Amino acid sequence: MEEPVETFGDINLTLGMLNKEDNINKEEIYSHLTSVIQNADILDDAIVQRLIYYASKDMRDDNVLREIRMLAGEVLVSLAAHDFNSVMFEVQSNFRILELPKEFIVLALAELATSYASQSIPFMMMTLLTMQTMLRLAEEESIRGAFCVALEKFSKAIYKYVNHWRDFPYPRLDANRLSDKVFMLFRYIMEKWAPTATPVQSLKQILTAAILYDTDLPKALKRSIFVNLLHQVCRVPEPPVKENEMEASSCFLILAHSDPADLIDFFDEQIRSNNEATRRGILTLLRLAISAEEPNLRDHITSIERTVKAVMGDLSIKVRNSTLLLIQTMCEKCYIEAQEGWPLINYVFSQFVMSNRNLEKSAKPNSHKDEKGEQSVRATSLEVLKTLDPLVTGMPQVLWPRILTFVVPAEYTGTLDCLFNIIRILIMAEERRKNNAPESTALVISTGAVKLPSPQQLLARLLVVSMLASLGKLCGVGAIGLLKILPEIIHPKLVNLWKTRLPELLQPLEGKNAGITLWETMLLQLLKESLWKISDVAWTIQLSRDFNQQMGSYSNTSIEKKFLWKALGTTLASCQDANFVSSQIKEFLIAPSQLGDQRQGITSILGYCAENHLDTVLKVLKTFQDREKHFMNRCKGLFSGKKSLSKTDVMVIYGAVALHAPKGQLLTRLDQDIVSQVLFLYGQCSQVLGMSVMNKDMDLQMSFIRSITEIGIAVQDAEDPGFRFSYKEVLLGHMLDFIRDEPLDSLATPVRWKALVAIRHLSKLKPRLSLHDHLNILEETIRRLLPLPPLEKLTDEGETEKDKEHISFLYERSMDALGKLLRTMIWDNVKARDCQEMFNLLRMWLVSQKEWERERAFQITAKVLANDVEAPDDFKIGSLLGLLVPHSCDTLATIRQAATSAAIALFCMKGVQLEMERLQGLQEGLQCDDVDIQIKISSKIAKIVSKLIPSEEVTMFLEEVLDGLETLNPTCTTACGIWMITVLKEQGAALEDQLLEILSIIYYHMPILRQKEKSFQATLEAVSQIASFHTGAVVANLLQKPLPFDRDTKTLWKALAEHPASRGGLLRALTDKLDSRLEDDLASMGAIAVACAIQEVVSIGTPVAGLYPQLFTLLLKLVSCTLGQEMPASSLSLRRRVMQQGERQQMADPCRLSTTTLKCVQAQAMREGLTKESDEGDNLWPLLHDPSTHHLGVCALARSMAVWQQGVIANIMEQLLPSLTSSSENYRITGTAFFSELMKEPVIWKHRNLCDVLISMDQSAWDCNATLRQMAIRGLGNTACGAPHKVRKHKQIILESVIRGLYHLARTEVVCESLKALRGILALLTDRDVSFYFKEIVLQTRTFFEDEQDDVRLTAIVLFENLASLTGRRWKIFFAEEIKKSMISFLLHLWDPNPKVGAACLDVLMVSIPFLGLQDLYGVLDRLLDGQDPPRARDFYRQFCVKLAKKNQEILWILHTHSFTFFASSWEVIRSAAIKLTDAIVFNLTNQYVELLDREQLTTRLQALRQDPCVSVQRAAEAAVQTLLRRCREIGALL
């Protein structure tokens, strides 16, 4: 139930929209309703009633669009399926007596009668009666048409009822009453409406109804209908209504069926009216009727043919076209009779000829329209012939044999395609008849007078037309096909020959066009064989005459005419009647104009005739020349109006005669009877007033060149190895002169082209030319063609498009000729060197900066190498290949294609098997202008063929490619790089013998290539690629470069390091080489070179982790061994010319070079986490390469070692251990210094036993070399940090070695190192451990309190402080005494220039006071420790002395006695402090001690210090003097 509910809802919604009149698209609504109603099984009664209401209302509303009213009627009729009575009631209620109904009410009744016949029949009588009262009221055509439609459909419904009344559900009705009523209505319509019916639709319904009731129309009525309908079809001034025209045609078809005789008579009568429109209409109606295959018309074929013949003389284009179309239809439907049909076929051919003639006439003002019309007639004629079926009933008898009359006349040439097809079908049908085939059709020869073509005429025509087969034209193929099936008609003797030869002849045509020359040769050969087979002189003579008669049938430039001349010459050559041949030749020589193009015609005829009649032809030519010498004979020719042959023409004839002459007879007569005559004629034409000059007549030049070319070809074809052509050099000279005289800025004549062809053929003749002659000829020809302007510029000189095309043609031909000449002259040599010399002539053009010159050179090169040339066995392709392949990425697609073709050809020339399909596919891809795609394709080609280059020629290839990198454009240089790298990848392993030469070539090019970044990078990659196969050899070669390395060498090292193929073993190889060159602890220049190489390799970030320990120790050793060395002058690079002298000296320092490498390695190791940054920073490296500070640099380097890298450190130590015992003192120092720093690392001691190192250190501490001793002592001292237990264990040995250093007073560095070492060592020992050495240590330490070096002074003071803890009982008093002696130094150095020394002095004072029992002094010393407000020196000393004076005047006096020494101190601050301390002492001494003062000495010294340069010293001395004087006065007063 859901679907009906949805349907009702949908209809209700639609009805609601239909009720709204505004903005409602009723057309869509009614279309939708029709679909819904037709698909619904059940509709609600209420909905049906509403739909009937709305549909009826809109159907009757004249304001509603006609389309909507029609759709409304469809809805109403559709509703009858659900409620027929309601619908019929609604329609009948609007179909009332004596009231004209609405049109669509009538149509609705008609549709109801059609769709619901069984239900409509009961209402039919009432409907017909009502309709009878309405007809007289109908005046408009639309309502009349509706009544006609209704009458037709009512008739069909009644007819159905009459035949099937038993199937109807109600009792039988009286059908006669219904039929009578319908007939009454029909008669009224025919009598009242038909004669004046304009809308043909109504008439069509009337005629249909008439046929249905088999009603015979009155003759007058029929004529009226005929006229009316013809008017509808042919009305002229106003264009006919298309719908009416179609309906009128339908009416005529109805009439043709019902009464064809009257209709044909009417047409025959009307067509003779000479009215164009009427004729066209009738012809069209006849064609329509025949096409409809109305059977009643077939009995009137003769009448129809008569009707057609009546208009054959009409010249109207439209009538002619219509006639042709009717004939076409008649032929298709077999409406042609054997006796009367030929004129119709002849008419088709005649119309083709007429249209052609009319089109050839001069144009008129209205000619454009006429031209299109004539073209239409011609096209229709051809279409008729094309669709003509010659085997339909009666057609063979119509056509055969009269169809043959159209074969020979030239005017029917355009119909040959169809004509040959018709003839072929007819003859093949006859063959089937002979073989008793079921479908055979007999060909009956007409009895009429027909002049058929002769066999010779047919043969001549068909042979000439057959030439068109080489151009792919259908008529040519048809002609050769006819020859195949016409041998009996041509000549009975040809049956067997043609049966064999013609299938062979047709083979080249299968699937493609044959070449013109090949096809022409085959046809001429067929003609020769046929004439030989016939062997009938009279028949042959007649054939030659028929050939001659057909001369006017073809244009002089046509391929048929050219063949016709040759065929005529061949026929004369086959003729055995020498007299006839001689007479014919004389006739042609005297009156050549009959041949059309006299030169070309007579040349072809005499040339081919000479094949069998050489003596006759030469004799006639000689006679003709002698005749033409007489002035009177020449005048006769001029006055007679006949154009005679010139000397130039005769010259050309001689060349053709030589070309076709029998080879056995030619050479004996060549020099005297042919070449000498040609040169004589040319000389005569080049003379002015009896003097020879260079004739600029192009025709003369071209004729001379043509004649010489043909002579050269003829001599070659003779193939006589013993023949020597005596005129060779003379003729070559003439050809070169022609080429030299051609301008270099234009290409307007074919002289260059033809002269090149002639030179090529002459060059092959003996005697052979020398290499020098070859080179001269080729150079001259090349430089007269390749420098021409670009083709576009050349063609711009042409004034017309034809001129431009001609220049383009000459250009292509000239370049092709040059390529063939080069190919011939190069490969005719047996010496590879000579071939290469000639190839080198193209070299400068292949790399020209002008792309059009490059394009020509490459295209010529491709021609020279193409098609599997045979080169000498030892011809080398490497150099030429290197020259060609970079241009696979050139700027022009033509260059890219030619370069690739030439490269591929080189391999083919050497017999190499290539992947040709793949290479050709890649080559086609080079047409793309995308540079990236070009590069990719070139790379793919390189990968395919690189492995195929002979290995011994790779060097030559690379040299050419490197030259290209220097000079070519960017894309070509990119290709150079790709090819170079690819070849090296493929063949690098086999290049060991050529390696040094290849590298030398690369080095030679590098200075220039550096200026081109991409080219230079390609070169670097090439070296890297070589190194990937021969790393050792490349490394050894590069290491031979002078030091310091120049920029290119450095770049090469970096490139090797960066390249994936070579970097793997590069650093290892260099490390091994460095190791081998440092075996004896001596540094050679080779070792330095290796170091420089390592620097470049590592500088680009090459990982060093695997080699770092070995690399580090070797480089450190190299630095050590090169300390103080200078670079030999011979090793300096000559390429570094512009450099400051100081810079050169610096860079030539071997140690500096080595240090720089080590610095680079350390930086990389730091990045890899193998080491850390030095505490010295960048100052490390100056320290390292300076001999005086080298040991300090090594120490700093050692301190930068990453001790957590146990494996690395262990390897370094193991490899560096031999340095401790090296014969090289520098290396021992280096090793000792390095180990001395490592000795303080507990981690190293933990993982490795360094006892051997410790022993070596102890031994070195006694060495005579101060630096070595210093480093050894440092190592011993650092052991205290790294291995305290070892110090305790070996304390005696260590202490003795270290204390020994305190006595090396000449080198304070050793002393300082000893003091530092003692400081560390003593911190690990007890007083008992050092008791034996305590006094010595204290005494030696005190000696350095006043040392000039801050470090020594500071270390001594600190050590003294540390000794305080080791006094024990034994040395306590001794140490106290030493403190008293040393206190003056501690007090004064509190204000030391080095703050650290002052701080150390304060510390030692704090430690020393308890030994003297002066603890009260702590308060004074504490004030110094207070950093906020430290006392001044004077105040401090007074406070200190006040406290001290109270405790111990003795110590105060001791201080005084030691102070004099410091008055002469080199430090101003110490002098000032000594004076201030003296001032404080004098001030605090008791009177007893004051009296003991040496006042004179003290005064003298103080007075001297008053003159000190330092102001503070002066002031302090003045104050001290005043204090002394005051104390002296005090004593004096007391005394």
Side-chain angles (χ1 to χ4, degrees), residues 32 172 218 246 258 275 448 565 620 629 680 703 740 795 798 810 871 924 976 1104 1149 1151 1254 1273 1421 1448 1532:
H32 176 68
R172 182 177 181 181
M246 293 175 63
S258 62
N275 182 281
W565 292 326
V620 173
K629 290 179 182 177
F680 173 75
S703 299
R740 290 190 192 100
T795 54
L810 291 179
E924 291 176 2
C976 283
V1104 298
D1149 180 358
C1151 187
L1254 186 62
I1273 292 171
L1421 293 176
N1448 195 331

Side-chain angles (χ1 to χ4, degrees), residues 1172-1426:
K1172 60 184 179 180
E1173 187 175 1
S1174 171
D1175 51 14
E1176 291 288 345
D1178 290 338
N1179 191 44
L1180 165 65
W1181 311 109
L1183 290 174
L1184 197 61
H1185 70 71
D1186 188 340
S1188 62
T1189 59
H1190 171 72
H1191 58 289
L1192 300 178
V1194 174
C1195 291
L1197 195 60
R1199 291 194 297 273
S1200 69
M1201 291 291 102
V1203 295
W1204 59 85
Q1205 296 281 2
Q1206 292 299 321
V1208 175
I1209 292 295
N1211 287 337
I1212 290 175
M1213 292 173 63
E1214 182 178 356
Q1215 296 184 44
L1216 202 57
L1217 194 60
S1219 64
L1220 299 177
T1221 57
S1222 172
S1223 59
S1224 170
E1225 188 175 70
N1226 284 344
Y1227 193 33
R1228 287 202 312 277
I1229 293 173
T1230 300
T1232 304
F1234 189 82
F1235 278 107
S1236 69
E1237 289 294 334
L1238 296 183
M1239 299 295 280
K1240 67 181 178 182
E1241 297 294 341
V1243 176
I1244 297 177
W1245 278 95
K1246 180 179 179 181
H1247 292 87
R1248 187 173 179 82
N1249 188 0
L1250 297 180
C1251 289
D1252 293 341
V1253 178
L1254 186 62
I1255 293 171
S1256 180
M1257 292 285 182
D1258 183 67
Q1259 293 173 353
S1260 297
W1262 300 84
D1263 197 276
C1264 60
N1265 186 292
T1267 304
L1268 186 59
R1269 290 182 65 187
Q1270 178 189 358
M1271 294 297 99
I1273 292 171
R1274 177 176 293 187
L1276 294 173
N1278 285 342
T1279 306
C1281 298
H1285 61 288
K1286 293 294 183 182
V1287 174
R1288 295 187 185 101
K1289 182 178 180 181
H1290 304 286
K1291 55 183 176 292
Q1292 183 177 352
I1293 298 174
I1294 295 174
L1295 283 172
E1296 288 180 357
S1297 298
V1298 175
I1299 293 171
R1300 176 75 176 174
L1302 296 176
Y1303 293 94
H1304 203 299
L1305 301 180
R1307 293 291 298 272
T1308 55
E1309 296 89 350
V1310 178
V1311 172
C1312 184
E1313 209 62 62
S1314 299
L1315 291 171
K1316 292 178 180 178
L1318 281 171
R1319 178 184 173 190
I1321 294 169
L1322 293 178
L1324 301 175
L1325 303 178
T1326 63
D1327 55 345
R1328 294 181 61 184
D1329 294 332
V1330 299
S1331 179
F1332 180 77
Y1333 304 101
F1334 185 81
K1335 183 176 181 180
E1336 183 179 7
I1337 294 172
V1338 171
L1339 293 176
Q1340 283 302 116
T1341 301
R1342 284 191 62 239
T1343 60
F1344 302 111
F1345 287 165
E1346 303 304 325
D1347 195 271
E1348 292 291 331
Q1349 292 192 18
D1350 293 358
D1351 200 22
V1352 175
R1353 200 163 65 250
L1354 175 62
T1355 307
I1357 293 170
V1358 174
L1359 177 60
F1360 191 83
E1361 177 188 356
N1362 294 341
L1363 287 171
S1365 62
L1366 298 173
T1367 56
R1369 292 182 180 179
R1370 181 179 177 183
W1371 300 105
K1372 191 170 186 179
I1373 297 174
F1374 166 75
F1375 190 69
E1377 291 300 322
E1378 292 303 314
I1379 290 174
K1380 292 178 183 178
K1381 298 174 184 178
S1382 303
M1383 186 173 289
I1384 182 65
S1385 294
F1386 300 151
L1387 287 171
L1388 292 178
H1389 282 284
L1390 285 171
W1391 279 269
D1392 193 274
N1394 188 335
K1396 293 182 179 181
V1397 175
C1401 289
L1402 181 59
D1403 292 338
V1404 75
L1405 283 173
M1406 296 291 284
V1407 173
S1408 301
I1409 285 174
F1411 283 90
L1412 301 177
L1414 300 174
Q1415 285 81 352
D1416 292 344
L1417 295 176
Y1418 279 140
V1420 179
L1421 293 176
D1422 287 341
R1423 291 189 61 192
L1424 285 177
L1425 293 173
D1426 186 5

Side-chain angles (χ1 to χ4, degrees), residues 1049-1250:
T1049 307
K1050 290 180 179 180
T1051 307
L1052 279 173
W1053 283 115
K1054 290 177 180 177
L1056 290 176
E1058 289 175 337
H1059 198 276
S1062 59
R1063 68 184 175 197
L1066 181 60
L1067 191 58
R1068 165 60 66 187
L1070 289 172
T1071 304
D1072 293 343
K1073 282 193 173 292
L1074 182 59
D1075 191 12
S1076 65
R1077 297 185 182 187
L1078 287 175
E1079 287 181 353
D1080 299 327
D1081 295 346
L1082 295 175
S1084 63
M1085 287 299 103
I1088 298 169
V1090 175
C1092 293
I1094 290 173
Q1095 177 195 345
E1096 303 304 328
V1097 170
V1098 175
S1099 65
I1100 56 95
T1102 303
V1104 298
L1107 296 171
Y1108 176 64
Q1110 184 182 6
L1111 199 55
F1112 174 80
T1113 53
L1114 289 173
L1115 290 173
L1116 186 59
K1117 181 178 181 180
L1118 182 62
V1119 171
S1120 176
C1121 295
T1122 55
L1123 280 172
Q1125 283 190 14
E1126 292 185 0
M1127 187 77 72
S1130 61
S1131 67
L1132 295 178
S1133 173
L1134 297 177
R1135 297 178 71 181
R1136 300 179 68 90
R1137 298 185 180 90
V1138 183
M1139 184 173 290
Q1140 297 297 326
Q1141 184 67 25
E1143 184 180 0
R1144 174 176 294 190
Q1145 292 291 340
Q1146 184 180 14
M1147 294 193 70
D1149 180 358
C1151 187
R1152 186 182 297 277
L1153 295 175
S1154 305
T1155 305
T1156 303
T1157 302
L1158 181 58
K1159 178 182 179 181
C1160 185
V1161 171
Q1162 281 297 97
Q1164 181 61 29
M1166 194 183 306
R1167 287 191 287 270
E1168 296 178 31
L1170 302 175
T1171 186
K1172 60 184 179 180
E1173 187 175 1
S1174 171
D1175 51 14
E1176 291 288 345
D1178 290 338
N1179 191 44
L1180 165 65
W1181 311 109
L1183 290 174
L1184 197 61
H1185 70 71
D1186 188 340
S1188 62
T1189 59
H1190 171 72
H1191 58 289
L1192 300 178
V1194 174
C1195 291
L1197 195 60
R1199 291 194 297 273
S1200 69
M1201 291 291 102
V1203 295
W1204 59 85
Q1205 296 281 2
Q1206 292 299 321
V1208 175
I1209 292 295
N1211 287 337
I1212 290 175
M1213 292 173 63
E1214 182 178 356
Q1215 296 184 44
L1216 202 57
L1217 194 60
S1219 64
L1220 299 177
T1221 57
S1222 172
S1223 59
S1224 170
E1225 188 175 70
N1226 284 344
Y1227 193 33
R1228 287 202 312 277
I1229 293 173
T1230 300
T1232 304
F1234 189 82
F1235 278 107
S1236 69
E1237 289 294 334
L1238 296 183
M1239 299 295 280
K1240 67 181 178 182
E1241 297 294 341
V1243 176
I1244 297 177
W1245 278 95
K1246 180 179 179 181
H1247 292 87
R1248 187 173 179 82
N1249 188 0
L1250 297 180

Side-chain angles (χ1 to χ4, degrees), residues 349-480:
F349 284 95
S350 66
Q351 288 306 304
F352 176 84
V353 174
M354 180 184 293
S355 61
N356 271 342
R357 289 174 181 171
N358 291 340
L359 286 171
E360 291 172 1
K361 291 179 181 179
S362 58
K364 297 179 180 179
N366 58 345
S367 62
H368 180 67
K369 183 177 179 181
D370 292 343
E371 181 182 356
K372 291 186 67 175
E374 293 295 348
Q375 289 174 349
S376 173
V377 171
R378 182 172 62 183
T380 306
S381 302
L382 291 175
E383 185 63 25
V384 172
L385 294 175
K386 187 183 298 183
T387 58
L388 179 65
D389 183 358
L391 299 182
V392 298
T393 305
M395 190 61 70
Q397 291 77 12
V398 173
L399 297 175
W400 189 262
R402 287 174 288 195
I403 194 72
L404 293 176
T405 60
F406 300 116
V407 173
V408 176
E411 58 192 7
Y412 300 113
T413 300
T415 67
L416 289 180
D417 290 354
C418 308
L419 182 62
F420 289 162
N421 186 53
I422 294 170
I423 297 173
R424 179 183 60 81
I425 293 173
L426 290 171
I427 295 176
M428 291 179 68
E430 178 65 12
E431 291 294 328
R432 288 195 296 270
R433 184 191 67 78
K434 290 180 180 179
N435 295 328
N436 296 320
E439 67 274 17
S440 65
T441 304
L443 298 182
V444 180
I445 300 295
S446 293
T447 57
V450 178
K451 185 179 181 181
L452 296 176
S454 68
Q456 290 91 337
Q457 287 177 321
L458 281 176
L459 178 60
R461 177 66 163 167
L462 292 176
L463 268 180
V464 174
V465 175
S466 294
M467 263 308 295
L468 297 175
S470 62
L471 302 178
K473 292 187 177 181
L474 190 60
C475 62
V477 179
I480 199 68

